[in-house]
Amino acid sequence: MDSLQLGSYTFSSRLILGTGKFSNADVMLDAVRSSGTQLVTVALRRFNRDMAEDDLFGPLSAMEGITLMPNTSGASTAAEAVRAAHIARELSGSPFIKVEIHPNPQHLMPDPIETYEASRILAKEGFLVMPYISADPVLAKRLEEAGCASVMPLGSAIGSGQGLGTADMLSIIIRESRIPVIVDAGLRSPSEAAAAMEMGCSAVLVNSAVAAASNPPEMAAAFAGAVEAGRRAFNAGLMQRSGSAVATSPLTSFLGTGA
Amino acid sequence: MITIQLNGKQETLPPGSTVETLLPIIGSDGKSVAVVVNDHIVRPENRSSHLLQDGDHIEILVFAGGG
Amino acid sequence: MTPLPDWLTEERDSRALASMLANSSPASLEQLAAESRAITLRRFGRTMSLYAPLYLSNYCSSGCAYCGFASDRTTVRRRLESDELQRELLAMKKLGISDILLLTGERTSRADFDYLRRSVERASKEMQRVSVEAFPMSVSEYRKLAECGCSGVTIYQETYDRERYEALHRWGPKKDFIERLETPRRALEGGIKSVGLGVLLGLSEPVEDALRLYRHLRHLGRTWWRAGMSVSFPRMRPQTGGYEPPFPVDDRLLARMIFAFRIALPDVELVLSTRESAPYRDGMAGLGVTRMSIASRTTVGGYDDPESAEKGQFDVSDDRTAEEFCLALRARNIEPVFKNWEPAYNGPSHTESTQTEREEKEPCH
């Protein structure tokens, strides 16, 4: 499988794993291991002495070949996201930042205006900006022009497991983009991840689908296989679908039978 | 004594406290936390010299699970 | 030698098109026609946008082996002076034409940038929409043209086969393949709203040319994503100068190309000129093509003086009047559209460069 390039970073895995919603840190770490991922998302939280094992930095940074991509979840404005990004970089030492700004905690829909503004500022500061957005092709182009390292449109609402509900818009974004397109959010099954990769996505980010599976490490491995299969299929070039039915009165009779 | 806001909660500390002396009090080894005082990040090398003032807002942050 | 850019040679981008154009394609011409027609109907409705070419000048400094206006031809050279241009514009308006393409040869002292700019300025006072098919220009020249009312630039690569290109363009400024390839980008950077690309079918192996043309369009579309784009399918006709096209394209292959481009590029204007015969154009109307030229004269001054015996750049095949042609379209339930925009929108586009390297505006005189 060909590698994924984000900024100056090269990844052989095209699966990005989120670390939220796992039953405990050990299961999460097992899932990270069996997924073969090299890029994992983490969130900034207030330190709490009673939940010291929640701190993931130690165990994740002890794992070989893992780059951290902190997100800005919790931010509801561009200014908050920029501040979170600065703190996150301090802690992770990684230039990656997943800009995630949702003003409404019920739906967790990304705010396009605040996301654009934060991404523009952070890209100028040298971050590898990975904005989580609705599947909006124009916003994707604007973010590309703003200097983002990728765009991460949602497949469907975050945590919904509704799959590639935005497939039509995703295919436009993929077709028009000059930066990697990573489907983030909404996937439930490995076959959906494979479908996203077959469409030409550069990578897939999953979290809930793995964390909420009965056996998260096994599901993480299944996603890894699906992402690889989808990418290889994309590289191999899918057969074209056969054309539509032939009209009853021929459209091309004016051409004659020709050579 | 000085009064500070720590992660949204009021705490009192002896005068002369620094960021470095604060961390063990709250149960952190200081290794994988970011400390923000009044919206300014205090880097690890400055923690011992950063004196805390009455009324400071302090945030101590870690990485937790997130997607 | 400058290597070819990756976007031109990267085959992955054009795989779907390649499979439709391949000899071994499982899709029959009839299947492609049906799909192309359905897409065209959805995206453009039952309309055909119409334009006419206006030859400003046939002076030329290049030696294109296939062209009737190449600088070694004995053709009488002339250019339209401003009063002649005005008469020509009025004659075209009488025919119902309000969307025009101004043409010149490669840059010469008789037909240089200033001459072209003055012509654009005059034409945009009379016409709803003015486009230009002339010599390659600099970004700042394109910006000046845009400010004077030019909203489209047509610039064909002719062929994307570099070796063939260099052999066919025997001398003159057009000889540089890469320079030509970069021209549409400069037009868009200069604020031109829409670019028209094409290959001159007959010069080189047509399928490979079509695939490279497609990749050029995709590259421009991704970079200049606000821009409009069109593709023309000029097929070599007998030329002044008697050049025999070495790779003739038959009716069915041309149709296959048009259908395949429509399927691969649902939103792009596809253009078919009066080089093609009346039955061919009528047959293709509604199946993929969305823009056609009408009542074309390919001589300098040909509208005001249609009886002139002068030889044009190429011979027109569909020589119906605008009225006859519109009647034929309507008979096929297609509405001819002369005005699809408002001249108020004809200013330069707002590209990134307008914000960053805004140049001194030169007043239009």
Side-chain angles (χ1 to χ4, degrees):
Chain A
M1 191 168 64
D2 55 332
S3 56
L4 167 67
Q5 190 77 30
L6 292 168
S8 62
Y9 286 67
T10 305
F11 300 101
S12 57
S13 164
R14 289 175 178 271
L15 176 60
I16 304 173
L17 201 62
T19 56
K21 301 186 185 173
F22 283 87
S23 53
N24 62 61
D26 289 338
V27 175
M28 185 275 287
L29 293 168
D30 276 349
V32 169
R33 251 176 242 116
S34 67
S35 72
T37 185
Q38 295 162 300
L39 191 57
V40 301
T41 56
V42 288
L44 273 181
R45 290 290 174 266
R46 279 173 166 170
F47 174 83
N48 180 343
R49 77 162 80 204
D50 305 325
M51 298 180 71
E53 69 171 270
D54 245 21
D55 170 24
L56 299 181
F57 183 69
L60 282 174
S61 52
M63 286 175 74
E64 193 109 340
I66 299 284
T67 301
L68 292 185
M69 176 164 71
N71 67 30
T72 64
S73 65
S76 59
T77 66
E80 287 170 9
V82 168
R83 196 159 53 220
H86 290 161
I87 298 167
R89 181 165 60 181
E90 194 64 29
L91 207 47
S92 69
S94 156
F96 284 98
I97 187 76
K98 175 179 168 183
V99 173
E100 179 176 352
I101 303 177
H102 17 69
N104 175 330
Q106 273 76 54
H107 301 295
L108 301 178
M109 283 298 173
D111 181 326
I113 295 162
E114 300 296 325
T115 299
Y116 176 79
E117 188 54 20
S119 299
R120 192 182 62 78
I121 292 168
L122 293 169
K124 269 199 182 143
E125 292 180 1
F127 280 91
L128 291 176
V129 181
M130 315 273 282
Y132 163 61
I133 58 171
S134 291
D136 177 339
V138 172
L139 179 60
K141 288 306 281 185
R142 294 293 299 261
L143 287 163
E144 174 184 311
E145 285 178 344
C148 290
S150 81
V151 284
M152 305 210 292
L154 50 80
S156 51
I158 200 164
S160 71
Q162 309 250 346
L164 294 171
T166 58
D168 289 352
M169 292 296 122
L170 287 175
S171 68
I172 295 174
I173 294 173
I174 292 164
R175 187 182 155 87
E176 300 304 326
S177 186
R178 303 170 78 200
I179 54 178
V181 177
I182 297 169
V183 169
D184 178 2
L187 301 190
R188 173 175 164 268
S189 67
S191 61
E192 291 159 357
M197 296 305 292
E198 285 168 4
M199 285 168 64
C201 284
S202 295
V204 161
L205 193 160
V206 286
N207 187 341
S208 304
V210 172
S214 304
N215 183 340
E218 188 59 15
M219 188 57 83
F223 267 99
V227 166
E228 180 172 350
R231 181 63 185 183
R232 291 180 68 164
F234 173 72
N235 285 341
L238 296 167
M239 181 187 91
Q240 296 303 304
R241 281 201 183 88
S242 73
S244 36
V246 177
T248 42
S249 54
L251 301 169
T252 55
S253 51
F254 72 98
L255 294 170
T257 48
Chain B
M1 295 300 266
I2 60 168
T3 306
I4 57 159
Q5 288 281 327
L6 177 65
N7 283 357
K9 278 189 214 147
Q10 215 165 59
E11 305 270 354
T12 53
L13 294 175
S17 291
T18 65
V19 170
E20 187 161 82
T21 59
L22 169 69
L23 290 170
I25 296 173
I26 64 162
S28 164
D29 61 4
K31 270 189 195 144
S32 46
V33 298
V35 181
V36 182
V37 178
N38 302 331
D39 284 342
H40 292 286
I41 297 167
V42 180
R43 312 193 69 159
E45 62 268 28
N46 299 327
R47 285 176 187 167
S48 59
S49 58
H50 194 111
L51 274 174
L52 296 175
Q53 313 285 334
D54 196 49
D56 274 353
H57 282 74
I58 302 163
E59 293 285 331
I60 298 182
L61 301 154
V62 294
F63 280 140
Chain C
M1 198 161 76
T2 321
L4 296 180
D6 288 347
W7 53 257
L8 188 60
T9 52
E10 176 53 68
E11 287 177 9
R12 186 150 78 179
D13 225 21
S14 53
R15 281 187 312 211
L17 184 70
S19 84
M20 288 187 275
L21 293 178
N23 276 332
S24 58
S25 170
S28 71
L29 194 57
E30 191 63 28
Q31 281 171 325
L32 292 177
E35 195 175 346
S36 170
R37 183 176 75 151
I39 293 169
T40 307
L41 190 60
R42 274 203 302 274
R43 175 64 180 76
F44 296 88
R46 298 180 195 279
T47 62
M48 182 69 67
S49 112
L50 302 178
Y51 75 100
L54 196 174
Y55 281 76
L56 291 173
S57 155
N58 61 2
Y59 286 96
C60 194
S61 54
S62 273
C64 312
Y66 49 82
C67 178
F69 288 164
S71 66
D72 59 339
R73 309 280 188 249
T74 54
T75 319
V76 179
R77 304 290 165 165
R78 77 186 199 94
R79 71 171 200 187
L80 293 179
E81 299 307 331
S82 62
D83 55 326
E84 294 173 303
L85 173 58
Q86 187 63 22
R87 280 205 298 277
E88 196 78 348
L89 289 166
L90 294 179
M92 293 177 92
K93 274 171 89 170
K94 257 189 216 147
L95 298 173
I97 297 162
S98 61
D99 180 339
I100 60 166
L101 178 65
L102 298 177
L103 294 101
T104 72
E106 286 295 302
R107 200 186 291 247
T108 60
S109 59
R110 293 290 291 149
D112 60 5
F113 176 72
D114 262 355
Y115 169 77
L116 180 62
R117 193 188 64 180
R118 287 196 307 274
S119 304
V120 166
E121 208 185 324
R122 179 166 291 272
S124 60
K125 289 198 175 85
E126 301 295 342
M127 296 289 171
Q128 303 280 358
R129 187 180 185 203
V130 178
S131 307
V132 158
E133 182 172 352
F135 42 86
M137 288 164 244
S138 68
V139 173
S140 64
E141 285 174 333
Y142 280 122
R143 181 162 301 284
K144 285 172 197 159
L145 277 197
E147 283 163 1
C148 290
C150 170
S151 58
V153 162
T154 295
I155 189 106
Y156 299 151
Q157 189 66 26
E158 318 295 9
T159 174
Y160 286 88
D161 179 329
R162 190 179 197 164
E163 261 178 49
R164 293 278 306 145
Y165 183 94
E166 282 164 0
L168 287 162
H169 300 96
R170 297 167 299 169
W171 60 79
K174 197 169 167 180
K175 199 168 176 49
D176 187 337
F177 179 85
I178 297 285
E179 158 72 12
R180 185 87 180 171
L181 195 64
E182 283 291 303
T183 305
R185 173 192 62 75
R186 288 201 304 271
L188 293 169
E189 206 173 325
I192 297 289
K193 287 234 171 79
S194 172
V195 287
L197 273 62
V199 290
L200 193 46
L201 295 169
L203 294 181
S204 300
E205 200 291 300
V207 170
E208 186 52 35
D209 254 356
L211 296 177
R212 289 184 168 215
L213 166 63
Y214 174 81
R215 297 196 287 261
H216 194 181
L217 284 155
R218 293 299 306 131
H219 168 70
L220 289 172
R222 285 194 183 107
T223 314
W224 303 94
W225 58 280
R226 295 170 177 88
M229 286 191 294
S230 64
V231 189
S232 303
F233 297 90
R235 184 156 59 143
M236 293 224 69
R237 308 260 320 143
Q239 311 286 310
T240 314
Y243 181 81
E244 276 301 315
F247 296 88
V249 169
D250 67 22
D251 285 357
R252 294 177 70 84
L253 179 57
L254 177 57
R256 182 174 279 272
M257 272 188 190
I258 291 172
F259 301 152
F261 267 75
R262 170 54 66 227
I263 294 164
L265 297 165
D267 302 313
V268 162
E269 289 267 29
L270 301 184
V271 185
L272 200 61
S273 81
T274 54
R275 285 171 185 268
E276 297 303 330
S277 69
Y280 196 84
R281 298 217 307 161
D282 288 354
M284 291 301 289
L287 297 188
V289 172
T290 51
R291 187 165 162 81
M292 287 186 177
S293 54
I294 48 164
S296 300
R297 307 271 181 273
T298 67
T299 53
V300 177
Y303 293 93
D304 189 42
D305 178 16
E307 304 308 316
S308 159
E310 212 179 299
K311 288 290 265 179
Q313 192 191 21
F314 60 87
D315 289 341
V316 164
S317 176
D318 181 353
D319 58 2
R320 288 174 292 180
T321 64
E323 218 166 296
E324 288 167 337
F325 182 65
C326 290
L327 220 63
L329 283 179
R330 290 205 172 94
R332 303 183 147 265
N333 203 14
I334 293 171
E335 180 63 20
V337 175
F338 289 99
K339 181 182 172 181
N340 204 6
W341 56 90
E342 173 54 45
Y345 299 130
N346 281 353
S349 62
H350 295 279
T351 59
E352 287 292 295
S353 61
T354 54
Q355 291 144 28
T356 52
E357 47 179 80
R358 186 92 205 167
E359 290 156 59
E360 282 291 295
K361 257 198 176 184
E362 199 156 305
C364 299
H365 307 288

